[in-house]
Amino acid sequence: MASDNRSESGKNKIPWSGEIVSVQPRIRLLRSFDQRSHSYLGYTLMIEGVVGEEQRSFLVGIGKGAQERNQFQAGDPVSGRSAVVRDPRNEVSEYYQTSELRVVGKGTKAQGSPPPWQGAPPALEVYRQRGHRRLETGTYETKCKVCIWGCRMPVEMIIDQWNPSKKRHRFETFCYGPKSCAFYKAGPTRKVPGRKGMTWEEEDWVDEGAVSHRAMDE
Ligand code: SF4
C-alpha cells in the first residue's frame, strides 16, 4: 500500500535523507527504427537511507543546475523532499521534482582506484561529446551502478514513424567510460521494432562509430 505521504497528484512530497552511493547522468533515449536521439535531463542520485519511513536504497532524479551547484558525489550525506515519478516508463528514478535539496556535509568516502570511476560526474555536455557503447545489463547491475560513466536510460520507441503515437518503452544500459575498462561487456546487440514486424539491429559498428574519436584510455 502507498505511504500516506504519497499523493496521487504527486503534489505532496516525500521527505528523504541518506548517503549518496552513486551519481549517474539522467538521459532519455528516443528511438525510431535506426534513428536515435537523446534528452539530457540531469543526474540520478542513488541514495542509501530513509525515504518516508522506509530504510532502503532509492533513486532521485535531479536537474543539471542542482548538480552544478552542489557537485554531488558518492559519500555525500544529503536530504530533500521529492514527488513520486508519475510515469515510471520515462524515468529510472522513483522520485523527482525535489525541493529543499541539501548536502548536509561533504562525504569523506575514499575513492578507490578505478574501475568503477567515482567522484563528481562531469557536465552533461561531456557525456554528449564522449558518446556511449551498449553495456550488458548484468554487468551494469553488478559492477557499473556506482560508476559515473554508467547510465540506465528509459527508452521510448516509435514503432511507426507515420503514426508516432504507436510507441513502446523499455530500459537500456550504456557505458560512457574508457574503452579499455576491464569491467566492460557489450552483451547482445539491441533490436528495435519497426513497422509491419520489421526489426533494426543495432550492430557493433554503431557503437564503434559513437566512440571512435576517443583513444582506448580516454
Ligand atoms: S564498464 Fe563503463 S560504466 Fe562500467 S565500470 Fe567500466 S567505465 Fe564504468
Side-chain angles (χ1 to χ4, degrees):
M1 205 175 108
S3 140
D4 291 340
N5 287 319
R6 285 188 189 188
S7 82
E8 301 240 331
S9 66
K11 279 182 190 153
N12 285 352
K13 296 191 173 179
I14 298 178
W16 54 262
S17 62
E19 183 180 300
I20 296 178
V21 181
S22 77
V23 187
Q24 293 191 333
R26 181 178 164 216
I27 301 171
R28 215 173 270 160
L29 180 61
L30 177 67
R31 289 188 179 279
S32 179
F33 208 55
D34 59 345
Q35 306 293 309
R36 65 184 192 187
S37 64
H38 300 77
S39 301
Y40 297 84
L41 305 175
Y43 295 82
T44 302
L45 308 180
M46 185 195 294
I47 298 164
E48 182 64 52
V50 177
V51 56
E53 290 171 7
E54 286 175 82
Q55 171 90 40
R56 61 184 174 92
S57 64
F58 53 95
L59 301 177
V60 179
I62 60 168
K64 65 177 184 177
Q67 178 60 24
E68 274 166 16
R69 283 191 299 280
N70 296 288
Q71 291 296 302
F72 293 119
Q73 62 179 46
D76 288 354
V78 285
S79 65
R81 299 176 70 86
S82 304
V84 176
V85 163
R86 246 171 259 154
D87 187 346
R89 297 174 305 176
N90 290 328
E91 290 282 347
V92 295
S93 304
E94 293 169 80
Y95 303 102
Y96 63 179
Q97 297 172 357
T98 301
S99 46
E100 300 168 44
L101 181 58
R102 289 201 185 99
V103 195
V104 184
K106 267 297 175 190
T108 52
K109 190 172 181 166
Q111 313 289 344
S113 57
W117 278 262
Q118 293 189 292
L124 293 174
E125 182 58 20
V126 172
Y127 287 96
R128 196 187 64 76
Q129 285 166 353
R130 292 179 66 84
H132 58 56
R133 297 181 294 165
R134 73 178 186 272
L135 174 62
E136 196 230 349
T137 311
T139 306
Y140 174 82
E141 291 295 332
T142 53
K143 300 201 186 296
C144 307
K145 260 182 166 174
V146 294
C147 179
I148 59 168
W149 299 125
C151 186
R152 183 166 183 260
M153 294 182 199
V155 184
E156 184 175 284
M157 294 175 288
I158 296 173
I159 306 302
D160 182 349
Q161 59 182 329
W162 308 113
N163 179 11
S165 63
K166 215 173 160 189
K167 293 174 187 170
R168 277 194 223 162
H169 296 83
R170 69 185 184 198
F171 292 90
E172 295 180 23
T173 46
F174 293 96
C175 169
Y176 285 88
K179 289 187 269 185
S180 58
C181 179
F183 285 174
Y184 180 76
K185 273 197 200 139
T189 54
R190 307 243 161 99
K191 281 90 180 167
V192 185
R195 297 173 69 214
K196 298 181 179 168
M198 288 191 294
T199 300
W200 156 256
E201 181 177 4
E202 197 168 69
E203 293 179 45
D204 290 344
W205 62 263
V206 175
D207 281 357
E208 285 158 13
V211 298
S212 61
H213 57 294
R214 285 198 266 126
M216 287 304 284
D217 288 334
E218 275 180 69

